Amino acid sequence: MQPMGLVDTHLHGDRISLEEWPGLRDRAHRAGVVRAVGVGSDAKSGEKLLRLKQKHPDFIEVAFGYHPEQPVEWEQVEIVLRQIREHRDSLCGVGEVGLPWYSLSPEERERAPDPEHLSVLERFLQTAVELDLPVLLHAVHDRAETVFRMLQAQGVRKAVFHWLKAPAAVVDAIVGAGYYVSVTPEVCYRQRDRELVQRIPAPSLLLETDAPWRYGGPFRSRPAEPAWVRRTAEAVSQVKGISLPQLARQTTANASRLFGWDLGK
């Protein structure tokens, strides 16, 4: 395949064994994927991601965070916050952070967000602003607007809403504020995601796999990997009505602006 210079802006590299990574990286390079961002879920995942980055320094970038779809353990939260400060120069962002949704009962989803989860997110946003790091967000459905308002209140300038599902007005507000939205391989087979891509201007779009997540459609029964960004990019370029090379240049330029890289220059 012709090199595209694509970027996978969100995956869980700690959930993939170190032994698998040489093959994953080689397949990614053949698909035109030149960089991938591993996001943290807790303190241990951050340590694993740093080891992964050491083995693949030209391919893996790292963000530290505390995944919101888990109970709040303040001791763990404080450890991750310390890790972010200690390893600031090795990180490209703060994430994955946000508010829970999938782990909530239908009744809990109808209530206001849990104050403890709000406090955790607030601490991470404050740290990101202080250290001038972008934020990689888990914020879907009704929680997307809450998180958007928190970004505004804390003065967060750089952020990406990963795998966003939100009302149109909230999507417009997110894009209007200069934040990014990343889309997954679901855009290859799900109308909801294709409609989201239609709504978001190309300068606000990023690509991701959320590997090793297992998708449906043509990807059924296999764990995702960074090479799948190529398929995602092809689907997005079709929805947008632009060429694949043009889409690749745009989304990689977007990632470079968000993370402070020089890719594509």
Side-chain angles (χ1 to χ4, degrees):
M1 289 185 180
Q2 179 183 358
M4 287 286 112
L6 295 162
V7 178
D8 185 348
T9 62
H10 191 109
L11 57 77
H12 294 271
D14 60 297
R15 300 178 188 174
I16 302 170
S17 70
L18 288 174
E19 293 73 21
E20 292 179 82
W21 270 103
L24 290 178
R25 182 199 58 205
D26 291 345
R27 289 194 293 276
H29 282 164
R30 289 197 296 271
V33 181
V34 297
R35 194 161 293 187
V37 177
V39 296
S41 301
D42 54 24
K44 287 185 177 180
S45 70
E47 294 170 357
K48 292 179 180 178
L49 287 169
L50 281 182
R51 290 196 294 271
L52 180 62
K53 179 177 173 63
Q54 289 169 356
K55 288 184 174 293
H56 306 283
D58 296 328
F59 184 65
I60 294 292
E61 298 288 347
V62 174
F64 281 177
Y66 188 82
H67 200 289
E69 299 286 355
Q70 63 184 324
V72 173
E73 296 184 15
W74 277 104
E75 182 178 359
Q76 275 286 308
V77 171
E78 295 294 346
I79 291 173
V80 175
L81 288 166
R82 286 199 301 271
Q83 288 177 326
I84 293 171
R85 294 181 182 280
E86 291 170 3
H87 298 284
R88 164 64 182 85
D89 292 341
S90 298
L91 303 181
C92 70
V94 172
E96 181 173 357
V97 297
L99 294 177
W101 176 265
Y102 301 107
S103 58
L104 302 179
S105 68
E107 293 75 20
E108 289 172 322
R109 291 175 180 176
E110 294 297 322
R111 301 175 197 153
D114 171 57
E116 201 165 33
H117 278 100
L118 290 171
S119 296
V120 170
L121 178 56
E122 184 176 64
R123 289 285 303 279
F124 280 108
L125 296 183
Q126 290 169 347
T127 300
V129 170
E130 178 186 345
L131 300 180
D132 192 26
L133 285 167
V135 185
L136 297 89
L137 293 159
H138 174 103
V140 298
H141 302 298
D142 291 349
R143 298 305 188 250
E145 182 175 7
T146 301
V147 171
F148 169 74
R149 294 186 184 280
M150 292 180 70
L151 295 180
Q152 298 285 282
Q154 295 297 328
V156 175
R157 295 184 300 105
K158 293 184 177 182
V160 52
F161 283 73
H162 130 81
W163 204 344
L164 181 64
K165 303 129 183 125
V170 177
V171 173
D172 292 346
I174 288 169
V175 171
Y179 302 130
Y180 294 91
V181 175
S182 62
V183 295
T184 73
E186 276 201 331
V187 72
C188 297
Y189 62 92
R190 192 161 186 172
Q191 184 61 26
R192 178 194 66 192
D193 296 74
R194 297 174 75 84
E195 291 173 356
L196 177 66
V197 166
Q198 288 175 331
R199 190 168 198 91
I200 299 171
S204 301
L205 274 173
L206 296 173
L207 308 173
E208 63 159 296
T209 62
D210 204 20
W213 185 262
R214 290 179 179 268
Y215 292 91
F219 307 103
R220 191 176 303 279
S221 80
R222 292 176 291 159
E225 59 179 273
W228 293 10
V229 166
R230 175 82 176 219
R231 295 277 299 276
T232 305
E234 290 170 349
V236 171
S237 70
Q238 291 170 2
V239 172
K240 285 296 190 187
I242 60 178
S243 71
L244 178 58
Q246 183 180 352
L247 188 278
R249 287 193 297 271
Q250 179 70 72
T251 54
T252 298
N254 297 345
S256 295
R257 283 195 302 273
L258 177 64
F259 296 116
W261 300 336
D262 61 0
L263 294 179
K265 289 185 178 180

